[in-house]
Amino acid sequence: MEKITTGDFCSSENMKERKSTDGQDRPELQKAIEEIVDSGFLGVQLRVHDEKGEWVGSAGVSRLGEAAKPPTNGHFRIGSNTKTFTATVVLQLVAEGRIGLDDSVVDYLPEFGMDRRITVRMLLQHTSGVFNFTGEYYEDGRVVPGIPCQGQEWVDNRFKTYHPEELVRLALSRPVRFDPGTDWSYSNTNYVLARLLIEKVTGCSLAEEMQRLILRPLGLSGTVVPDTQPEIPEPHAHAYYRYEDAGEQKTVDITCQNPSWISTGGDMISTTQDLHTFISALMGGKLLPAPLLAEMCKPHPKIGYGLGVFVQDAGPNGDGTIITHNGGISGYAALMYSTPDGGKTLTASVNYVDDAAMSLAVVFQKALQRLVEEVFGGGHAESADAAGLAGKQD
């Protein structure tokens, strides 16, 4: 029998659900999230804003061994959706004249001795070529590991504190992936550098700047920049990780962990309501001047990545273009989709049992595509971090 270990580091929480739509008026959405659960996931919470109004629902369970459904606006780790928030702060500082988008990063962060050709834009678009501190995965199958971020080693050290500078120095000690600006490759290091850039320019922490520029103006009371804080605010669904120890399969509750191992690559916490408010305001022009929003949504030709967002074609039956960024971190997946005007959004969270093999990645990709098609009509969800299920590159 597989051993399940619940976290000793989390306080117990009240899992009362907030009032939500029961799915009877949008049965196709309720069915879609129930299919995600049926494919092997623990729970889903979904929020959709479109021409029919707002729909909110959940399916599955909040934690193993219990029957309660996930809270419909519970907190969850948003993984790489953190990058969209961080890119927005950088662009807001560009708007304030404190950062130049095409300035050399070394001018702001000389202590790392970086290649002068690397610009702020390259960090936000993943074209710097800098090594990904969570590991590089090459097309020929080669893997160059970074910090421990999977298996028992990660589980045993999940409350360890990493400093952003430590992650950057590790990355810069490894070979670059390509010369700056010559290719595209997803790297969490880019966004840790973006964090350090924000802090150097403003003299404030990222959390303080996030409050000043995004969270406070939009009233995002459910969104947290945790730094090293391991807890998630209540209510929340639980996340798990499965690994092998001396030939025995073990599953551990990893809801609480020190997210400094991923830092600004994916450490933030939010809710479906806050993600909706954020992406709708961002695309609606409430956070950035029109020229900078246009720069943000200008896709790289190789992968369709702008500055902290993916830009996707909604398909022949869809609404044209979809702006998105999904995220995954150790048992949580977060979804955030919007039309370019912010008028239609889909935000969601999935909690599940993660593992190093990403055993649920393929089925999640299929379920995600079905969900996006249901809301945006013909949308395809493929992107570099669409699954995000390992939480290692995301």
Side-chain angles (χ1 to χ4, degrees):
M1 171 154 321
E2 185 176 322
K3 180 180 178 182
I4 298 178
T5 306
T6 57
D8 296 326
F9 300 88
C10 285
S11 59
S12 61
E13 69 266 31
N14 182 344
M15 297 305 294
K16 290 181 180 179
E17 290 187 53
R18 301 184 184 185
K19 184 177 179 181
S20 65
T21 305
D22 62 10
Q24 291 182 355
D25 57 340
R26 301 289 294 273
E28 72 283 359
L29 295 179
Q30 187 66 34
K31 181 181 179 183
I33 61 175
E34 288 172 355
E35 287 177 355
I36 292 176
V37 172
D38 291 343
S39 67
F41 294 86
L42 293 179
V44 183
Q45 48 186 302
L46 171 67
R47 183 178 302 268
V48 172
H49 285 253
D50 60 13
E51 63 278 358
K52 297 179 182 179
E54 179 187 62
W55 186 91
V56 183
S58 68
V61 298
S62 177
R63 63 194 302 172
L64 284 172
E66 297 186 4
K69 293 167 65 175
T72 53
N73 196 40
H75 299 84
F76 49 88
R77 300 189 188 278
I78 66 172
S80 278
N81 287 359
T82 302
K83 294 182 173 71
T84 309
F85 282 87
T86 305
T88 301
V89 171
V90 171
L91 292 172
Q92 287 171 313
L93 293 175
V94 171
E96 291 180 356
R98 304 173 79 177
I99 294 175
L101 191 53
D102 293 306
D103 288 353
S104 294
V105 176
V106 72
D107 289 341
Y108 299 97
L109 300 171
E111 62 269 31
F112 295 114
M114 294 174 59
D115 189 323
R116 172 159 289 279
R117 293 174 293 174
I118 296 175
T119 65
V120 175
R121 183 191 299 272
M122 290 176 190
L123 296 184
L124 301 185
Q125 195 160 36
H126 295 298
T127 55
S128 72
V130 172
F131 181 89
N132 183 6
F133 66 83
T134 51
E136 285 286 7
Y137 298 77
Y138 291 86
E139 290 78 5
D140 61 6
R142 286 184 302 128
V143 177
V144 180
I147 64 167
C149 57
Q150 62 183 10
Q152 184 175 355
E153 185 177 7
W154 176 80
V155 170
D156 290 345
N157 290 283
R158 69 190 184 280
F159 294 98
K160 175 180 177 180
T161 291
Y162 290 89
H163 299 287
E165 295 84 356
E166 176 184 0
L167 300 175
V168 168
R169 292 192 187 283
L170 181 147
L172 295 178
S173 72
R174 304 292 173 85
V176 298
R177 183 133 187 173
F178 48 79
D179 285 340
T182 63
D183 204 346
W184 185 94
S185 184
Y186 198 83
S187 174
N188 289 305
T189 310
N190 289 318
Y191 276 79
V192 179
L193 282 163
R195 168 189 175 168
L196 294 174
L197 172 66
I198 291 166
E199 294 178 340
K200 176 64 73 71
V201 167
T202 64
C204 300
S205 69
L206 173 64
E208 290 171 324
E209 285 301 291
M210 197 78 73
Q211 281 288 343
R212 178 177 76 89
L213 294 168
I214 299 177
L215 307 188
R216 193 176 300 120
L218 295 182
L220 303 186
S221 59
T223 301
V224 179
V225 183
D227 195 19
T228 61
Q229 173 187 323
E231 293 82 12
I232 297 183
E234 301 172 359
H236 59 257
H238 284 245
Y240 300 87
Y241 191 84
R242 181 187 297 117
Y243 66 99
E244 186 172 310
D245 179 15
E248 179 185 6
Q249 288 287 312
K250 294 183 178 180
T251 298
V252 61
D253 186 324
I254 52 161
T255 306
C256 291
Q257 58 174 276
N258 182 336
S260 63
W261 68 271
I262 190 66
S263 188
T264 330
D267 65 354
M268 287 178 66
I269 295 165
S270 193
T271 65
T272 59
Q273 177 63 65
D274 276 10
L275 289 184
H276 154 72
T277 302
F278 167 64
I279 193 65
S280 180
L282 177 61
M283 292 299 105
K286 296 179 181 178
L287 294 176
L288 294 174
L292 284 176
L293 182 59
E295 290 289 335
M296 184 181 223
C297 296
K298 187 183 301 181
H300 187 277
K302 179 175 181 177
I303 197 67
Y305 198 89
L307 306 180
V309 294
F310 283 93
V311 183
Q312 299 177 356
D313 183 356
N317 302 314
D319 294 335
T321 299
I322 301 174
I323 308 299
T324 179
H325 211 305
N326 296 327
I329 175 172
S330 308
Y332 289 108
L335 312 180
M336 184 172 66
Y337 290 84
S338 177
T339 49
D341 64 355
K344 177 186 289 189
T345 67
L346 179 163
T347 54
S349 174
V350 180
N351 60 303
Y352 60 101
V353 181
D354 197 1
D355 57 35
M358 292 181 65
S359 57
L360 289 172
V362 174
V363 293
F364 180 74
Q365 190 67 10
K366 292 178 180 178
L368 176 58
Q369 182 170 342
R370 157 97 162 77
L371 191 58
V372 173
E373 287 176 349
E374 195 64 66
V375 176
F376 294 93
H380 59 85
E382 183 178 358
S383 67
D385 71 333
L389 294 178
K392 315 311 176 221
Q393 291 200 88
D394 209 12

